[in-house]
Amino acid sequence: MHSSAEENYLKAIYKLQEANGEMVATSALAQVLGIHMASVTDMLKKMSTKKLVAYQKSKGFKLTEKGRLAAIGIIRKHRLWEVFLVDKLGFRWDEVHEIAEQLEHIHSQDLIDKLDAYLDFPKTDPHGDPIPDAKGIFAISKSVLLASLTPGSQGKFTGVTDHSSAFLNYLDKIGLSLGDTIKVKEVEEFDKNYTLLLKGKKSVVVSFKVANSLLISE
Amino acid sequence: MHSSAEENYLKAIYKLQEANGEMVATSALAQVLGIHMASVTDMLKKMSTKKLVAYQKSKGFKLTEKGRLAAIGIIRKHRLWEVFLVDKLGFRWDEVHEIAEQLEHIHSQDLIDKLDAYLDFPKTDPHGDPIPDAKGIFAISKSVLLASLTPGSQGKFTGVTDHSSAFLNYLDKIGLSLGDTIKVKEVEEFDKNYTLLLKGKKSVVVSFKVANSLLISE
DNA sequence: AAGAAAAATTAGGCGAGCCTAATATTATAG
DNA sequence: CTATAATATTAGGCTCGCCTAATTTTTCTT
């Protein structure tokens, strides 16, 4: 069994690899984990010995297949717990991250299998992130950033890349929810503001920063 | 916030105080926690500084009010999670202890309040142990050990003092469930075996060891 | 290609929570 | 009341996961 610290490293490395390609740098990991580089070097040597990461001195590192499966397992647990917290316990989508960060480290395969069944095998978490199945397979749903769409095109809002409470609350405030259909009405060249048309014909103007944090499918 | 190790000490001390009166010995705690006495001495000095226990060198120790409330909070979480695991996820009553041992260390008051409400404010866990409310108050239910009853008397089976999987499975096997009415038909002087009459007129013979682990109310 | 800047590693330390071994204290038996 | 047994404490060590400071390696700038 892996320690919570190791699991946090695995998850962070997995996400960095997803975002930035193959090799991950010591500094990048130190930054996202909020710890010092020397600590990362320390830990990676240990995780390398355990064959969780392939580590090349001064060249960065990447997950081994063993490490990748472990990372996906943790992500699966995190997202399933988030679904539980929102769907069953009535938390808001901006409240669940921290609690799920703790729950994801509970060790019991049986527990997670039963939780999955209890939640009726959800495919995405409350933020639209895909939940891998028990075999570690993600139901593929190719989505693009709203910021990559051109005026006139539309799609369904299916996820966010910013999970901060501040951002999620902002979405609630402007009345944007997962599953809504969004049409890009206009992109202002000058300041890159996006004018969007929501389902109820409602029109909202959002910044590039926001448009770049919304995932659109279909 | 307390560490998991501290929480385990608090819980163990609370239980020892419940069972054996006021002062708890270093050796007793070392035994139930499965660690060495020297480690207990170490930890208790720290917890004493934090005012969680009142510690008298070589005389034993007891929880302060602060420590008592913390301990009850952990027991509350443990038992609520056990209810969740059995009632919602479908675990058997002999499977939940270990998982609840992990879940009890999740830190979120909001979570436990919402879980309590979701479970409809249960008064007891799957083993019949009382669940303290949010204020730390136990709904009193004076129960006695079946082994203290005389032939002819009867009552309702409301709890166990042995939580081992082996014992709980045995109860399942002989068809004894929480809430059943039990009548003591006979107590064999020679070997202290108890002959019990269960609801469906079924009669079973159990050892003193078993009779001494069953809690009877009413 | 050299010097500066950035990134990574090494060396030495620290607190938590455990350990063993040695010592001290308290309780018990004769 | 003393000897022994049981209990408890101290002293010193260990691993984990982090730290700072110093040093080395790599990358960028010019």
Side-chain angles (χ1 to χ4, degrees), chain A residues 84-85 88-91 99 102-103 106-108 110-111 114-115 118, chain B residues 84-85 88-91 99 102-103 106-108 110-111 114-115 118:
Chain A
F84 169 71
L85 293 172
K88 301 295 186 182
L89 295 195
F91 278 93
I99 301 175
Q102 295 180 62
L103 287 165
I106 303 290
H107 294 299
S108 168
D110 202 6
L111 172 60
K114 286 193 159 71
L115 182 64
Y118 182 59
Chain B
F84 168 71
L85 294 172
K88 302 296 186 181
L89 296 196
F91 278 93
I99 300 176
Q102 296 181 61
L103 287 165
I106 302 291
H107 294 298
S108 167
D110 201 8
L111 171 60
K114 285 192 160 71
L115 182 65
Y118 181 58

PDB file of all heavy atoms in Angstrom, chain A residues 84-85 88-91 99 102-103 106-108 110-111 114-115 118, chain B residues 84-85 88-91 99 102-103 106-108 110-111 114-115 118:
ATOM      1  N   PHE A  84     -20.405  11.353  -4.553  1.00  0.00           N
ATOM      2  CA  PHE A  84     -21.130  11.014  -3.324  1.00  0.00           C
ATOM      3  C   PHE A  84     -21.458  12.275  -2.526  1.00  0.00           C
ATOM      4  O   PHE A  84     -22.601  12.476  -2.089  1.00  0.00           O
ATOM      5  CB  PHE A  84     -20.293  10.057  -2.470  1.00  0.00           C
ATOM      6  CG  PHE A  84     -20.815   9.857  -1.074  1.00  0.00           C
ATOM      7  CD1 PHE A  84     -21.976   9.129  -0.858  1.00  0.00           C
ATOM      8  CD2 PHE A  84     -20.154  10.410   0.015  1.00  0.00           C
ATOM      9  CE1 PHE A  84     -22.471   8.954   0.431  1.00  0.00           C
ATOM     10  CE2 PHE A  84     -20.642  10.241   1.301  1.00  0.00           C
ATOM     11  CZ  PHE A  84     -21.806   9.515   1.511  1.00  0.00           C
ATOM     12  N   LEU A  85     -20.467  13.122  -2.350  1.00  0.00           N
ATOM     13  CA  LEU A  85     -20.649  14.315  -1.523  1.00  0.00           C
ATOM     14  C   LEU A  85     -21.720  15.244  -2.108  1.00  0.00           C
ATOM     15  O   LEU A  85     -22.532  15.811  -1.372  1.00  0.00           O
ATOM     16  CB  LEU A  85     -19.312  15.065  -1.386  1.00  0.00           C
ATOM     17  CG  LEU A  85     -18.229  14.325  -0.596  1.00  0.00           C
ATOM     18  CD1 LEU A  85     -16.889  15.056  -0.684  1.00  0.00           C
ATOM     19  CD2 LEU A  85     -18.638  14.137   0.859  1.00  0.00           C
ATOM     20  N   LYS A  88     -25.335  12.708  -2.915  1.00  0.00           N
ATOM     21  CA  LYS A  88     -25.985  12.080  -1.768  1.00  0.00           C
ATOM     22  C   LYS A  88     -26.038  12.992  -0.556  1.00  0.00           C
ATOM     23  O   LYS A  88     -27.057  13.045   0.146  1.00  0.00           O
ATOM     24  CB  LYS A  88     -25.253  10.789  -1.389  1.00  0.00           C
ATOM     25  CG  LYS A  88     -25.194   9.757  -2.511  1.00  0.00           C
ATOM     26  CD  LYS A  88     -26.585   9.236  -2.884  1.00  0.00           C
ATOM     27  CE  LYS A  88     -26.483   8.102  -3.908  1.00  0.00           C
ATOM     28  NZ  LYS A  88     -27.826   7.622  -4.321  1.00  0.00           N
ATOM     29  N   LEU A  89     -24.952  13.676  -0.275  1.00  0.00           N
ATOM     30  CA  LEU A  89     -24.921  14.487   0.955  1.00  0.00           C
ATOM     31  C   LEU A  89     -25.329  15.938   0.729  1.00  0.00           C
ATOM     32  O   LEU A  89     -25.539  16.684   1.695  1.00  0.00           O
ATOM     33  CB  LEU A  89     -23.535  14.430   1.604  1.00  0.00           C
ATOM     34  CG  LEU A  89     -23.098  13.063   2.126  1.00  0.00           C
ATOM     35  CD1 LEU A  89     -21.908  13.219   3.053  1.00  0.00           C
ATOM     36  CD2 LEU A  89     -24.239  12.338   2.851  1.00  0.00           C
ATOM     37  N   GLY A  90     -25.471  16.348  -0.521  1.00  0.00           N
ATOM     38  CA  GLY A  90     -25.962  17.702  -0.775  1.00  0.00           C
ATOM     39  C   GLY A  90     -24.937  18.822  -0.673  1.00  0.00           C
ATOM     40  O   GLY A  90     -25.304  19.987  -0.487  1.00  0.00           O
ATOM     41  N   PHE A  91     -23.653  18.489  -0.811  1.00  0.00           N
ATOM     42  CA  PHE A  91     -22.647  19.556  -0.865  1.00  0.00           C
ATOM     43  C   PHE A  91     -22.758  20.271  -2.202  1.00  0.00           C
ATOM     44  O   PHE A  91     -23.251  19.703  -3.184  1.00  0.00           O
ATOM     45  CB  PHE A  91     -21.236  18.957  -0.748  1.00  0.00           C
ATOM     46  CG  PHE A  91     -20.796  18.658   0.663  1.00  0.00           C
ATOM     47  CD1 PHE A  91     -20.996  17.394   1.214  1.00  0.00           C
ATOM     48  CD2 PHE A  91     -20.172  19.629   1.441  1.00  0.00           C
ATOM     49  CE1 PHE A  91     -20.589  17.113   2.505  1.00  0.00           C
ATOM     50  CE2 PHE A  91     -19.754  19.352   2.739  1.00  0.00           C
ATOM     51  CZ  PHE A  91     -19.975  18.098   3.276  1.00  0.00           C
ATOM     52  N   ILE A  99     -12.440  17.810   0.947  1.00  0.00           N
ATOM     53  CA  ILE A  99     -12.868  16.591   1.636  1.00  0.00           C
ATOM     54  C   ILE A  99     -12.502  15.360   0.802  1.00  0.00           C
ATOM     55  O   ILE A  99     -12.013  14.361   1.332  1.00  0.00           O
ATOM     56  CB  ILE A  99     -14.382  16.621   1.928  1.00  0.00           C
ATOM     57  CG1 ILE A  99     -14.714  17.838   2.787  1.00  0.00           C
ATOM     58  CG2 ILE A  99     -14.817  15.344   2.626  1.00  0.00           C
ATOM     59  CD1 ILE A  99     -16.198  18.023   3.040  1.00  0.00           C
ATOM     60  N   GLN A 102      -9.055  14.064   1.169  1.00  0.00           N
ATOM     61  CA  GLN A 102      -8.815  13.168   2.294  1.00  0.00           C
ATOM     62  C   GLN A 102      -9.379  11.784   2.006  1.00  0.00           C
ATOM     63  O   GLN A 102      -8.715  10.770   2.226  1.00  0.00           O
ATOM     64  CB  GLN A 102      -9.487  13.714   3.561  1.00  0.00           C
ATOM     65  CG  GLN A 102      -8.933  15.033   4.064  1.00  0.00           C
ATOM     66  CD  GLN A 102      -9.650  15.491   5.329  1.00  0.00           C
ATOM     67  OE1 GLN A 102      -9.615  14.828   6.352  1.00  0.00           O
ATOM     68  NE2 GLN A 102     -10.321  16.634   5.261  1.00  0.00           N
ATOM     69  N   LEU A 103     -10.600  11.751   1.514  1.00  0.00           N
ATOM     70  CA  LEU A 103     -11.270  10.465   1.295  1.00  0.00           C
ATOM     71  C   LEU A 103     -10.554   9.595   0.263  1.00  0.00           C
ATOM     72  O   LEU A 103     -10.607   8.365   0.343  1.00  0.00           O
ATOM     73  CB  LEU A 103     -12.722  10.706   0.858  1.00  0.00           C
ATOM     74  CG  LEU A 103     -13.663  11.194   1.961  1.00  0.00           C
ATOM     75  CD1 LEU A 103     -14.960  11.755   1.375  1.00  0.00           C
ATOM     76  CD2 LEU A 103     -13.991  10.056   2.938  1.00  0.00           C
ATOM     77  N   ILE A 106      -8.363   6.634   1.525  1.00  0.00           N
ATOM     78  CA  ILE A 106      -8.893   5.471   2.246  1.00  0.00           C
ATOM     79  C   ILE A 106      -8.588   4.218   1.429  1.00  0.00           C
ATOM     80  O   ILE A 106      -8.855   4.174   0.230  1.00  0.00           O
ATOM     81  CB  ILE A 106     -10.425   5.585   2.428  1.00  0.00           C
ATOM     82  CG1 ILE A 106     -10.782   6.867   3.165  1.00  0.00           C
ATOM     83  CG2 ILE A 106     -10.976   4.348   3.141  1.00  0.00           C
ATOM     84  CD1 ILE A 106     -10.408   6.908   4.614  1.00  0.00           C
ATOM     85  N   HIS A 107      -7.992   3.225   2.103  1.00  0.00           N
ATOM     86  CA  HIS A 107      -7.582   2.005   1.395  1.00  0.00           C
ATOM     87  C   HIS A 107      -8.607   0.895   1.550  1.00  0.00           C
ATOM     88  O   HIS A 107      -8.706   0.289   2.606  1.00  0.00           O
ATOM     89  CB  HIS A 107      -6.236   1.519   1.927  1.00  0.00           C
ATOM     90  CG  HIS A 107      -5.114   2.451   1.640  1.00  0.00           C
ATOM     91  ND1 HIS A 107      -4.725   2.788   0.365  1.00  0.00           N
ATOM     92  CD2 HIS A 107      -4.298   3.159   2.452  1.00  0.00           C
ATOM     93  CE1 HIS A 107      -3.710   3.629   0.399  1.00  0.00           C
ATOM     94  NE2 HIS A 107      -3.432   3.884   1.678  1.00  0.00           N
ATOM     95  N   SER A 108      -9.364   0.637   0.522  1.00  0.00           N
ATOM     96  CA  SER A 108     -10.267  -0.514   0.490  1.00  0.00           C
ATOM     97  C   SER A 108     -10.863  -0.635  -0.901  1.00  0.00           C
ATOM     98  O   SER A 108     -11.683   0.174  -1.312  1.00  0.00           O
ATOM     99  CB  SER A 108     -11.381  -0.382   1.525  1.00  0.00           C
ATOM    100  OG  SER A 108     -12.377  -1.367   1.279  1.00  0.00           O
ATOM    101  N   ASP A 110     -12.816  -2.918  -1.910  1.00  0.00           N
ATOM    102  CA  ASP A 110     -14.208  -3.297  -1.753  1.00  0.00           C
ATOM    103  C   ASP A 110     -15.072  -2.049  -1.560  1.00  0.00           C
ATOM    104  O   ASP A 110     -16.154  -1.912  -2.146  1.00  0.00           O
ATOM    105  CB  ASP A 110     -14.325  -4.213  -0.518  1.00  0.00           C
ATOM    106  CG  ASP A 110     -15.562  -5.067  -0.554  1.00  0.00           C
ATOM    107  OD1 ASP A 110     -16.269  -5.052  -1.573  1.00  0.00           O
ATOM    108  OD2 ASP A 110     -15.824  -5.741   0.470  1.00  0.00           O
ATOM    109  N   LEU A 111     -14.575  -1.141  -0.743  1.00  0.00           N
ATOM    110  CA  LEU A 111     -15.316   0.100  -0.487  1.00  0.00           C
ATOM    111  C   LEU A 111     -15.576   0.867  -1.768  1.00  0.00           C
ATOM    112  O   LEU A 111     -16.693   1.297  -2.035  1.00  0.00           O
ATOM    113  CB  LEU A 111     -14.529   0.968   0.498  1.00  0.00           C
ATOM    114  CG  LEU A 111     -15.058   2.384   0.733  1.00  0.00           C
ATOM    115  CD1 LEU A 111     -16.469   2.364   1.292  1.00  0.00           C
ATOM    116  CD2 LEU A 111     -14.131   3.152   1.672  1.00  0.00           C
ATOM    117  N   LYS A 114     -18.107  -0.817  -4.047  1.00  0.00           N
ATOM    118  CA  LYS A 114     -19.486  -0.697  -3.564  1.00  0.00           C
ATOM    119  C   LYS A 114     -19.981   0.742  -3.704  1.00  0.00           C
ATOM    120  O   LYS A 114     -21.157   0.985  -4.006  1.00  0.00           O
ATOM    121  CB  LYS A 114     -19.564  -1.165  -2.109  1.00  0.00           C
ATOM    122  CG  LYS A 114     -19.478  -2.691  -1.944  1.00  0.00           C
ATOM    123  CD  LYS A 114     -19.871  -3.103  -0.518  1.00  0.00           C
ATOM    124  CE  LYS A 114     -20.297  -4.557  -0.398  1.00  0.00           C
ATOM    125  NZ  LYS A 114     -19.209  -5.535  -0.544  1.00  0.00           N
ATOM    126  N   LEU A 115     -19.096   1.689  -3.465  1.00  0.00           N
ATOM    127  CA  LEU A 115     -19.483   3.091  -3.616  1.00  0.00           C
ATOM    128  C   LEU A 115     -19.860   3.376  -5.069  1.00  0.00           C
ATOM    129  O   LEU A 115     -20.883   4.022  -5.348  1.00  0.00           O
ATOM    130  CB  LEU A 115     -18.323   3.992  -3.191  1.00  0.00           C
ATOM    131  CG  LEU A 115     -18.582   5.498  -3.246  1.00  0.00           C
ATOM    132  CD1 LEU A 115     -19.672   5.917  -2.265  1.00  0.00           C
ATOM    133  CD2 LEU A 115     -17.291   6.279  -2.962  1.00  0.00           C
ATOM    134  N   TYR A 118     -23.192   1.984  -5.719  1.00  0.00           N
ATOM    135  CA  TYR A 118     -24.209   2.767  -4.994  1.00  0.00           C
ATOM    136  C   TYR A 118     -24.533   4.055  -5.737  1.00  0.00           C
ATOM    137  O   TYR A 118     -25.685   4.517  -5.741  1.00  0.00           O
ATOM    138  CB  TYR A 118     -23.684   3.078  -3.592  1.00  0.00           C
ATOM    139  CG  TYR A 118     -24.630   3.839  -2.713  1.00  0.00           C
ATOM    140  CD1 TYR A 118     -25.897   3.336  -2.403  1.00  0.00           C
ATOM    141  CD2 TYR A 118     -24.256   5.068  -2.171  1.00  0.00           C
ATOM    142  CE1 TYR A 118     -26.754   4.040  -1.584  1.00  0.00           C
ATOM    143  CE2 TYR A 118     -25.108   5.764  -1.338  1.00  0.00           C
ATOM    144  CZ  TYR A 118     -26.358   5.257  -1.054  1.00  0.00           C
ATOM    145  OH  TYR A 118     -27.216   5.952  -0.242  1.00  0.00           O
TER     146      TYR A 118
ATOM    147  N   PHE B  84     -23.300   3.922   7.646  1.00  0.00           N
ATOM    148  CA  PHE B  84     -23.274   4.182   6.199  1.00  0.00           C
ATOM    149  C   PHE B  84     -22.848   2.941   5.424  1.00  0.00           C
ATOM    150  O   PHE B  84     -23.483   2.540   4.449  1.00  0.00           O
ATOM    151  CB  PHE B  84     -22.328   5.344   5.899  1.00  0.00           C
ATOM    152  CG  PHE B  84     -22.013   5.519   4.444  1.00  0.00           C
ATOM    153  CD1 PHE B  84     -22.990   5.999   3.565  1.00  0.00           C
ATOM    154  CD2 PHE B  84     -20.764   5.195   3.933  1.00  0.00           C
ATOM    155  CE1 PHE B  84     -22.712   6.154   2.216  1.00  0.00           C
ATOM    156  CE2 PHE B  84     -20.478   5.345   2.584  1.00  0.00           C
ATOM    157  CZ  PHE B  84     -21.462   5.831   1.716  1.00  0.00           C
ATOM    158  N   LEU B  85     -21.775   2.319   5.882  1.00  0.00           N
ATOM    159  CA  LEU B  85     -21.225   1.168   5.169  1.00  0.00           C
ATOM    160  C   LEU B  85     -22.212   0.007   5.107  1.00  0.00           C
ATOM    161  O   LEU B  85     -22.349  -0.654   4.082  1.00  0.00           O
ATOM    162  CB  LEU B  85     -19.919   0.713   5.837  1.00  0.00           C
ATOM    163  CG  LEU B  85     -18.755   1.708   5.748  1.00  0.00           C
ATOM    164  CD1 LEU B  85     -17.580   1.247   6.599  1.00  0.00           C
ATOM    165  CD2 LEU B  85     -18.327   1.906   4.298  1.00  0.00           C
ATOM    166  N   LYS B  88     -26.109   1.697   3.641  1.00  0.00           N
ATOM    167  CA  LYS B  88     -26.126   2.252   2.286  1.00  0.00           C
ATOM    168  C   LYS B  88     -25.320   1.434   1.286  1.00  0.00           C
ATOM    169  O   LYS B  88     -25.746   1.225   0.166  1.00  0.00           O
ATOM    170  CB  LYS B  88     -25.597   3.690   2.294  1.00  0.00           C
ATOM    171  CG  LYS B  88     -26.375   4.638   3.196  1.00  0.00           C
ATOM    172  CD  LYS B  88     -27.822   4.826   2.724  1.00  0.00           C
ATOM    173  CE  LYS B  88     -28.525   5.879   3.556  1.00  0.00           C
ATOM    174  NZ  LYS B  88     -29.950   6.054   3.130  1.00  0.00           N
ATOM    175  N   LEU B  89     -24.145   1.005   1.708  1.00  0.00           N
ATOM    176  CA  LEU B  89     -23.286   0.284   0.749  1.00  0.00           C
ATOM    177  C   LEU B  89     -23.451  -1.227   0.790  1.00  0.00           C
ATOM    178  O   LEU B  89     -22.926  -1.929  -0.071  1.00  0.00           O
ATOM    179  CB  LEU B  89     -21.817   0.656   0.969  1.00  0.00           C
ATOM    180  CG  LEU B  89     -21.437   2.116   0.711  1.00  0.00           C
ATOM    181  CD1 LEU B  89     -19.917   2.246   0.586  1.00  0.00           C
ATOM    182  CD2 LEU B  89     -22.106   2.662  -0.546  1.00  0.00           C
ATOM    183  N   GLY B  90     -24.166  -1.730   1.789  1.00  0.00           N
ATOM    184  CA  GLY B  90     -24.425  -3.165   1.812  1.00  0.00           C
ATOM    185  C   GLY B  90     -23.327  -4.048   2.369  1.00  0.00           C
ATOM    186  O   GLY B  90     -23.283  -5.248   2.085  1.00  0.00           O
ATOM    187  N   PHE B  91     -22.418  -3.474   3.161  1.00  0.00           N
ATOM    188  CA  PHE B  91     -21.425  -4.315   3.824  1.00  0.00           C
ATOM    189  C   PHE B  91     -22.106  -5.117   4.924  1.00  0.00           C
ATOM    190  O   PHE B  91     -23.160  -4.726   5.439  1.00  0.00           O
ATOM    191  CB  PHE B  91     -20.340  -3.445   4.473  1.00  0.00           C
ATOM    192  CG  PHE B  91     -19.263  -2.978   3.527  1.00  0.00           C
ATOM    193  CD1 PHE B  91     -19.376  -1.754   2.894  1.00  0.00           C
ATOM    194  CD2 PHE B  91     -18.145  -3.763   3.289  1.00  0.00           C
ATOM    195  CE1 PHE B  91     -18.378  -1.320   2.019  1.00  0.00           C
ATOM    196  CE2 PHE B  91     -17.137  -3.329   2.428  1.00  0.00           C
ATOM    197  CZ  PHE B  91     -17.262  -2.102   1.791  1.00  0.00           C
ATOM    198  N   ILE B  99     -12.517  -0.432   7.874  1.00  0.00           N
ATOM    199  CA  ILE B  99     -12.723   0.721   6.978  1.00  0.00           C
ATOM    200  C   ILE B  99     -13.129   1.942   7.801  1.00  0.00           C
ATOM    201  O   ILE B  99     -12.651   3.051   7.563  1.00  0.00           O
ATOM    202  CB  ILE B  99     -13.783   0.399   5.908  1.00  0.00           C
ATOM    203  CG1 ILE B  99     -13.330  -0.800   5.075  1.00  0.00           C
ATOM    204  CG2 ILE B  99     -14.024   1.598   5.005  1.00  0.00           C
ATOM    205  CD1 ILE B  99     -14.350  -1.271   4.055  1.00  0.00           C
ATOM    206  N   GLN B 102     -10.415   3.922   9.331  1.00  0.00           N
ATOM    207  CA  GLN B 102      -9.776   4.922   8.466  1.00  0.00           C
ATOM    208  C   GLN B 102     -10.682   6.137   8.313  1.00  0.00           C
ATOM    209  O   GLN B 102     -10.237   7.277   8.432  1.00  0.00           O
ATOM    210  CB  GLN B 102      -9.517   4.336   7.075  1.00  0.00           C
ATOM    211  CG  GLN B 102      -8.531   3.186   7.045  1.00  0.00           C
ATOM    212  CD  GLN B 102      -8.310   2.682   5.622  1.00  0.00           C
ATOM    213  OE1 GLN B 102      -7.861   3.419   4.758  1.00  0.00           O
ATOM    214  NE2 GLN B 102      -8.638   1.422   5.376  1.00  0.00           N
ATOM    215  N   LEU B 103     -11.949   5.894   8.048  1.00  0.00           N
ATOM    216  CA  LEU B 103     -12.872   7.006   7.777  1.00  0.00           C
ATOM    217  C   LEU B 103     -13.042   7.935   8.979  1.00  0.00           C
ATOM    218  O   LEU B 103     -13.304   9.129   8.813  1.00  0.00           O
ATOM    219  CB  LEU B 103     -14.241   6.442   7.350  1.00  0.00           C
ATOM    220  CG  LEU B 103     -14.287   5.850   5.938  1.00  0.00           C
ATOM    221  CD1 LEU B 103     -15.544   4.993   5.753  1.00  0.00           C
ATOM    222  CD2 LEU B 103     -14.243   6.959   4.888  1.00  0.00           C
ATOM    223  N   ILE B 106     -11.163  11.357   8.970  1.00  0.00           N
ATOM    224  CA  ILE B 106     -11.434  12.431   7.999  1.00  0.00           C
ATOM    225  C   ILE B 106     -11.882  13.664   8.779  1.00  0.00           C
ATOM    226  O   ILE B 106     -12.779  13.584   9.621  1.00  0.00           O
ATOM    227  CB  ILE B 106     -12.545  12.013   7.011  1.00  0.00           C
ATOM    228  CG1 ILE B 106     -12.168  10.734   6.267  1.00  0.00           C
ATOM    229  CG2 ILE B 106     -12.851  13.159   6.037  1.00  0.00           C
ATOM    230  CD1 ILE B 106     -11.040  10.865   5.278  1.00  0.00           C
ATOM    231  N   HIS B 107     -11.244  14.786   8.486  1.00  0.00           N
ATOM    232  CA  HIS B 107     -11.547  16.016   9.222  1.00  0.00           C
ATOM    233  C   HIS B 107     -12.521  16.918   8.459  1.00  0.00           C
ATOM    234  O   HIS B 107     -12.137  17.570   7.495  1.00  0.00           O
ATOM    235  CB  HIS B 107     -10.265  16.806   9.492  1.00  0.00           C
ATOM    236  CG  HIS B 107      -9.321  16.092  10.419  1.00  0.00           C
ATOM    237  ND1 HIS B 107      -9.666  15.773  11.717  1.00  0.00           N
ATOM    238  CD2 HIS B 107      -8.066  15.638  10.244  1.00  0.00           C
ATOM    239  CE1 HIS B 107      -8.642  15.154  12.294  1.00  0.00           C
ATOM    240  NE2 HIS B 107      -7.666  15.050  11.424  1.00  0.00           N
ATOM    241  N   SER B 108     -13.756  16.949   8.882  1.00  0.00           N
ATOM    242  CA  SER B 108     -14.729  17.896   8.329  1.00  0.00           C
ATOM    243  C   SER B 108     -16.015  17.804   9.151  1.00  0.00           C
ATOM    244  O   SER B 108     -16.745  16.828   9.058  1.00  0.00           O
ATOM    245  CB  SER B 108     -15.025  17.601   6.856  1.00  0.00           C
ATOM    246  OG  SER B 108     -16.157  18.337   6.456  1.00  0.00           O
ATOM    247  N   ASP B 110     -18.602  19.586   8.759  1.00  0.00           N
ATOM    248  CA  ASP B 110     -19.723  19.684   7.833  1.00  0.00           C
ATOM    249  C   ASP B 110     -20.070  18.299   7.278  1.00  0.00           C
ATOM    250  O   ASP B 110     -21.241  17.918   7.173  1.00  0.00           O
ATOM    251  CB  ASP B 110     -19.305  20.630   6.701  1.00  0.00           C
ATOM    252  CG  ASP B 110     -20.500  21.199   5.967  1.00  0.00           C
ATOM    253  OD1 ASP B 110     -21.640  20.975   6.424  1.00  0.00           O
ATOM    254  OD2 ASP B 110     -20.286  21.876   4.949  1.00  0.00           O
ATOM    255  N   LEU B 111     -19.013  17.555   6.938  1.00  0.00           N
ATOM    256  CA  LEU B 111     -19.218  16.220   6.380  1.00  0.00           C
ATOM    257  C   LEU B 111     -19.981  15.336   7.365  1.00  0.00           C
ATOM    258  O   LEU B 111     -20.951  14.665   7.002  1.00  0.00           O
ATOM    259  CB  LEU B 111     -17.865  15.584   6.056  1.00  0.00           C
ATOM    260  CG  LEU B 111     -17.869  14.107   5.663  1.00  0.00           C
ATOM    261  CD1 LEU B 111     -18.712  13.876   4.416  1.00  0.00           C
ATOM    262  CD2 LEU B 111     -16.445  13.601   5.434  1.00  0.00           C
ATOM    263  N   LYS B 114     -23.637  16.337   7.754  1.00  0.00           N
ATOM    264  CA  LYS B 114     -24.455  15.970   6.587  1.00  0.00           C
ATOM    265  C   LYS B 114     -24.651  14.455   6.521  1.00  0.00           C
ATOM    266  O   LYS B 114     -25.718  13.976   6.144  1.00  0.00           O
ATOM    267  CB  LYS B 114     -23.804  16.494   5.298  1.00  0.00           C
ATOM    268  CG  LYS B 114     -23.960  18.005   5.107  1.00  0.00           C
ATOM    269  CD  LYS B 114     -23.559  18.405   3.692  1.00  0.00           C
ATOM    270  CE  LYS B 114     -24.121  19.741   3.265  1.00  0.00           C
ATOM    271  NZ  LYS B 114     -23.513  20.906   3.934  1.00  0.00           N
ATOM    272  N   LEU B 115     -23.603  13.714   6.891  1.00  0.00           N
ATOM    273  CA  LEU B 115     -23.718  12.253   6.882  1.00  0.00           C
ATOM    274  C   LEU B 115     -24.770  11.813   7.901  1.00  0.00           C
ATOM    275  O   LEU B 115     -25.617  10.957   7.605  1.00  0.00           O
ATOM    276  CB  LEU B 115     -22.367  11.626   7.221  1.00  0.00           C
ATOM    277  CG  LEU B 115     -22.297  10.094   7.217  1.00  0.00           C
ATOM    278  CD1 LEU B 115     -22.543   9.538   5.813  1.00  0.00           C
ATOM    279  CD2 LEU B 115     -20.950   9.610   7.743  1.00  0.00           C
ATOM    280  N   TYR B 118     -28.096  12.443   6.498  1.00  0.00           N
ATOM    281  CA  TYR B 118     -28.359  11.526   5.383  1.00  0.00           C
ATOM    282  C   TYR B 118     -28.763  10.152   5.894  1.00  0.00           C
ATOM    283  O   TYR B 118     -29.604   9.467   5.302  1.00  0.00           O
ATOM    284  CB  TYR B 118     -27.096  11.421   4.526  1.00  0.00           C
ATOM    285  CG  TYR B 118     -27.214  10.535   3.323  1.00  0.00           C
ATOM    286  CD1 TYR B 118     -28.180  10.781   2.336  1.00  0.00           C
ATOM    287  CD2 TYR B 118     -26.366   9.452   3.140  1.00  0.00           C
ATOM    288  CE1 TYR B 118     -28.280   9.978   1.217  1.00  0.00           C
ATOM    289  CE2 TYR B 118     -26.461   8.646   2.025  1.00  0.00           C
ATOM    290  CZ  TYR B 118     -27.422   8.913   1.072  1.00  0.00           C
ATOM    291  OH  TYR B 118     -27.523   8.104  -0.035  1.00  0.00           O
TER     292      TYR B 118
END
